[in-house]
Amino acid sequence: MLSVTHTEEIEFSPALLAQFSEIVSRYPEGKQKSALLPILHLVQAEYGWVSVPAMDKVAQFLSIEPIEVYEVATFYTMFFLKPQGKYVLEVCRTGPCCLVGAEKIMKYIEQKLGVKEGEVTADGQFSWRGVECLAACGFGPVLQIGPEYTFYENLTEEKIDKLIADLKG
Amino acid sequence: MGRKLLIEHINVPGINTLEVYRQKGGYRAVEKALKTMSPDDVVEEVKKSGLRGRGGAGFPTGMKWSFLAKPEGVPRYLVCNADESEPGTFKDRHLMTYIPHALIEGMIISSYALGANVSYIYVRGEMMPQIRILEKAIAEAKNAGFLGKNILGSGYDLELYVQPGGGAYICGEETALIESLEGKRGNPRIKPPFPAIAGLYNCPTVVNNVESIAATVPIINDGGEEYAKIGVGRSTGTKLISASGNINKPGVYEIELGVPVEEFIYSDEYCGGIANGKRLKAVVAGGSSVPILPANLVMKTANGENRLMTYESLADGGFATGTMMGSGGFIVFDEDQCIVRNTWNFSRFYHHESCGQCSPCREGTGWMEKVLHRLEYGHGKLSDIDLLVDVSKKIEGNTICPLGDAAAWPVASAIRHFRDEFEWHVKEPMKSQSTNYGLANYAKPIEKAVAAEEK
Ligand SMILES: Cc1cc2nc3c(=O)[nH]c(=O)nc-3n(C[C@H](O)[C@H](O)[C@H](O)COP(=O)(O)O)c2cc1C
Ligand code: SF4
Ligand code: FES
């Protein structure tokens, strides 16, 4: 679901716009729509999620219809359509990781953070969710944290404690 | 020790840099191809090598390349499939993380063979670190004159770009990947036309897996015939296997095709045996989409022959008693694992990842997930088991892309081989919540499994 929490227009910074233009240059003339996914990743890295005003602005930049951006942003699971915690812990919940304890790790994270899957902690620092196989099955349980998608492998409860303490700084 | 052609130097410090990669013989294949071979010569070598696509389908790479249409004045594209999302598979990430230049070098050779002047590597979006690694490697290669205009004075131009995906398993399917690269939802296209005729931007396109492309490097260095000497029959060369689950040494192994499965599981060179001294219950040999095998069909075929890590031997017995090489995602289950739970988990995955275009897949995967959930949690009926088989049959072969089959096979095969465990979940709903069915008869001599199949 798209959620509109603010309706004012968004202005992308010149630095961000320069990155957008570089991406567009990778495709043949007239095929600038190919830049959509890379640009949405940059938008999410900048704002933490992808809002409707941001998508409208991306549409404008790429000379495509806003609906073309919405249909893509809603299809791909990596794009957050509402605000998240500063750190989103995405834990693999697929078969091979479950053979080595992913379900227990998810329960532990839920209990440790005190919020359900998809919810944000009161201080706005954390949210978490289960995601599908992250191509690290030999090193499970595993989680990733965007926007650089750093991996934390062979997770244990102690490692989770340390990770959360480190992120809190 | 088997020969290693792709990751031999993986532990050499700095092998991710161009400098060290070159010290270890890197980019020799590009020099050889661009300076001494025509594009058709390169295609010929790849044909001779017998290399089969490492992305899952196992289609001969050289043959696929020779299907590429070459109309005058129309650009052609090579797109590398680095979407790697098949549960159990993590070899491409491994290769790109540690030896990115092996992929870049392979991309140059392959693009040259196909006459592509712009090529893309489509990497799953979650592999942001690998995207950075590849971009750095591309910049290094370009600096050294292996990319860009007039490479090594050959007159051949190539630009290489990395494209991130957005977290959708279906984008590993080649036409969905092309749609995604065009900035759209990852909805697979109806074929024909095949990408070789009308792919990216409606131009002739080849989509190849990371490992297939990297394999062209040793093929050009040593010649296709040398490569074909490794392996057994039509399973030539080496293959990266991602090993996960309840084993002592999970990780990525490069094997010579033809290694016995037993050796792969139990020898210290590979998986090092089942973890915690447990016994083997089952194996999914080629990523979540291929049929699961009970222990008694893992090491031996139904005919009692040793099962080998080859396309043919893994498939021996068809779906009744065999499986598939797939992407080489080798998932090992010990005696404590619950097959019903795993089957439910996998079907939840396919339901989640269905693009929703065709109703048998969209609805069927949802039903299977729901019915399996109820069996796993002790609310199932005996008739649910046949219902699952029925639904899986109705999906299989009735969809636009093979995701439907990939969702159906794990369910059908789990019931084929482990029906008694599914029945136990119905008959002992309370017990099945607190304990596991265990190894039961799955490691007993083979007659047992065949009998289960026939009933
Ligand atoms: C649902 C689905 C997912 C797939 N995922 C991948 C993948 O992640 N990586 C890959 O190389 N091939 C994947 N494939 C296979 C590709 O469609 C295609 O056959 C392959 O990239 C061709 O490369 P190859 O000939 O080098 O194997 C997938 C196929 C399907 C149906
Ligand atoms: S089989 Fe499933 S994933 Fe493939 S096109 Fe149909 S609905 Fe989409
Ligand atoms: S199953 Fe968790 S990374 Fe593959």
Side-chain angles (χ1 to χ4, degrees):
Chain A
M1 280 295 285
L2 298 183
S3 75
V4 186
T5 54
H6 60 273
T7 46
E8 77 274 17
E9 269 214 29
I10 245 183
E11 282 303 331
F12 295 134
S13 70
L16 202 54
L17 286 169
Q19 279 180 283
F20 290 2
S21 298
E22 185 278 317
I23 291 170
V24 167
S25 76
R26 300 172 185 176
Y27 316 102
E29 195 66 38
K31 304 298 181 193
Q32 75 281 359
K33 188 174 170 182
S34 280
L36 186 49
L37 267 79
I39 286 181
L40 288 176
H41 280 298
L42 289 176
V43 168
Q44 179 155 303
E46 178 87 9
Y47 298 93
W49 63 297
V50 177
S51 66
V52 169
M55 286 193 271
D56 291 348
K57 206 70 188 175
V58 168
Q60 212 178 39
F61 179 84
L62 291 174
S63 313
I64 57 178
E65 294 299 326
I67 181 74
E68 294 178 80
V69 183
Y70 306 160
E71 62 180 16
V72 162
T74 52
F75 183 84
Y76 295 96
T77 53
M78 287 182 77
F79 301 118
F80 297 125
L81 303 171
K82 55 179 197 193
Q84 306 290 314
K86 182 173 171 202
Y87 302 106
V88 187
L89 277 51
E90 297 183 304
V91 193
C92 173
R93 61 174 183 176
T94 313
C97 277
C98 291
L99 296 181
V100 290
E103 287 159 309
K104 260 199 204 141
I105 286 292
M106 291 186 19
K107 276 206 193 94
Y108 187 72
I109 291 174
E110 173 165 35
Q111 176 210 322
K112 172 104 188 164
L113 293 178
V115 288
K116 288 215 167 62
E117 184 168 3
E119 291 172 357
V120 184
T121 53
D123 60 3
Q125 289 289 296
F126 295 98
S127 46
W128 73 276
R129 65 170 179 168
V131 291
E132 300 300 346
C133 178
L134 292 172
C137 331
F139 319 107
V142 52
L143 69 77
Q144 63 180 9
I145 302 177
E148 283 302 315
Y149 295 92
T150 316
F151 264 70
Y152 300 88
E153 300 176 335
N154 299 311
L155 292 171
T156 57
E157 293 183 357
E158 294 72 42
K159 282 191 189 175
I160 299 286
D161 290 345
K162 180 167 185 320
L163 172 64
I164 290 175
D166 289 351
L167 290 174
K168 279 185 176 158
Chain B
M1 278 277 282
R3 277 177 68 184
K4 299 205 179 352
L5 304 177
L6 299 173
I7 58 173
E8 185 187 355
H9 302 301
I10 202 153
N11 292 322
V12 174
I15 193 70
N16 60 331
T17 64
L18 183 97
E19 196 191 338
V20 176
Y21 181 71
R22 290 206 70 188
Q23 281 165 13
K24 290 287 164 196
Y27 287 98
R28 268 189 305 139
V30 166
E31 290 181 355
K32 182 170 174 188
L34 269 59
K35 288 182 177 166
T36 70
M37 298 169 79
S38 72
D40 286 345
D41 292 342
V42 177
V43 176
E44 255 335 284
E45 280 317 309
V46 173
K47 273 192 184 160
K48 273 191 230 161
S49 75
L51 173 67
R52 292 165 69 174
R54 304 299 195 215
F59 192 81
T61 306
M63 201 189 295
K64 183 169 181 171
W65 288 7
S66 61
F67 292 154
L68 186 69
K70 298 184 173 165
E72 260 321 291
V74 179
R76 307 193 275 275
Y77 292 102
L78 169 65
V79 181
C80 172
N81 189 342
D83 193 55
E84 191 162 69
S85 315
E86 169 89 0
T89 317
F90 47 101
K91 68 193 174 71
D92 297 339
R93 167 199 293 272
H94 196 71
L95 189 74
M96 293 187 289
T97 305
Y98 299 106
I99 321 187
H101 284 285
L103 175 58
I104 309 298
E105 181 171 16
M107 283 300 284
I108 301 170
I109 298 165
S110 308
S111 301
Y112 174 70
L114 299 168
N117 299 110
V118 178
S119 297
Y120 298 96
I121 305 175
Y122 182 100
V123 184
R124 65 177 291 177
E126 295 92 339
M127 292 196 198
M128 208 54 88
Q130 287 67 28
I131 290 174
R132 306 261 184 258
I133 290 168
L134 289 173
E135 282 175 342
K136 185 166 161 267
I138 288 172
E140 281 184 318
K142 199 163 178 177
N143 240 332
F146 293 116
L147 282 170
K149 292 242 172 289
N150 190 19
I151 301 170
L152 306 177
S154 63
Y156 173 64
D157 306 337
L158 176 65
E159 292 298 337
L160 197 52
Y161 299 108
V162 182
Q163 177 85 358
Y169 167 66
I170 191 57
C171 290
E173 193 282 330
E174 57 184 7
T175 61
L177 185 149
I178 289 170
E179 287 282 300
S180 179
L181 182 45
E182 292 181 357
K184 301 182 217 151
R185 297 169 80 102
N187 288 342
R189 295 176 180 172
I190 294 175
K191 300 191 228 186
F194 287 90
I197 310 294
L200 183 61
Y201 310 130
N202 242 354
C203 298
T205 302
V206 165
V207 179
N208 270 137
N209 174 256
V210 171
E211 186 188 347
S212 315
I213 289 173
T216 63
V217 176
I219 289 170
I220 293 307
N221 275 330
D222 307 337
E225 272 164 27
E226 252 336 277
Y227 187 87
K229 281 183 195 160
I230 303 174
V232 180
R234 289 178 56 238
S235 295
T236 61
T238 66
K239 170 97 191 77
L240 297 178
I241 304 291
S242 320
S244 67
N246 308 119
I247 46 179
N248 282 318
K249 293 169 52 194
V252 175
Y253 297 100
E254 182 170 7
I255 60 161
E256 288 189 11
L257 286 169
V259 169
V261 174
E262 183 166 6
E263 180 182 340
F264 185 71
I265 298 176
Y266 289 100
S267 91
D268 274 339
E269 195 181 339
Y270 304 112
C271 302
I274 311 303
N276 306 314
K278 303 257 182 211
R279 292 169 300 171
L280 175 69
K281 179 167 181 177
V283 165
V284 172
S288 60
S289 304
V290 311
I292 189 170
L293 289 181
N296 53 8
L297 285 169
V298 170
M299 260 86 76
K300 297 245 191 254
T301 67
N303 294 330
E305 285 163 27
N306 280 341
R307 208 185 282 280
L308 310 178
M309 300 285 277
T310 64
Y311 291 89
E312 293 74 20
S313 180
L314 286 171
D316 189 297
F319 277 8
T321 57
T323 180
M324 287 157 81
M325 170 70 86
S327 59
F330 199 91
I331 312 166
V332 178
F333 298 69
D334 72 21
E335 57 190 302
D336 291 344
Q337 301 301 336
C338 173
I339 299 298
V340 178
R341 187 164 189 82
N342 185 71
T343 310
W344 161 64
N345 184 296
F346 279 172
S347 71
R348 193 215 50 224
F349 171 84
Y350 289 105
H351 180 219
H352 184 260
E353 300 299 330
S354 166
C355 84
Q357 275 192 109
C358 14
S359 35
C361 170
R362 183 188 60 236
E363 305 300 326
T365 54
W367 289 343
M368 291 198 303
E369 181 193 347
K370 218 157 124 189
V371 174
L372 280 159
H373 186 272
R374 121 174 140 218
L375 284 167
E376 165 61 12
Y377 286 94
H379 309 298
K381 303 189 285 274
L382 276 179
S383 58
D384 281 343
I385 301 170
D386 287 325
L387 178 64
L388 281 170
V389 174
D390 189 43
V391 175
S392 79
K393 281 198 180 125
K394 289 191 167 121
I395 301 173
E396 196 182 342
N398 292 321
T399 57
I400 294 174
C401 91
L403 185 138
D405 301 339
W409 294 340
V411 175
S413 59
I415 295 175
R416 186 183 306 131
H417 298 299
F418 300 91
R419 184 181 272 267
D420 48 346
E421 186 163 345
F422 284 83
E423 287 174 354
W424 180 74
H425 271 247
V426 175
K427 292 177 189 155
E428 302 281 357
M430 297 307 284
K431 219 163 145 189
S432 74
Q433 298 310 293
S434 54
T435 60
N436 272 324
Y437 194 55
L439 194 58
N441 56 28
Y442 308 130
K444 292 212 181 110
I446 281 160
E447 296 75 55
K448 197 82 187 172
V450 177
E453 157 63 18
E454 281 162 357
K455 84 175 167 203

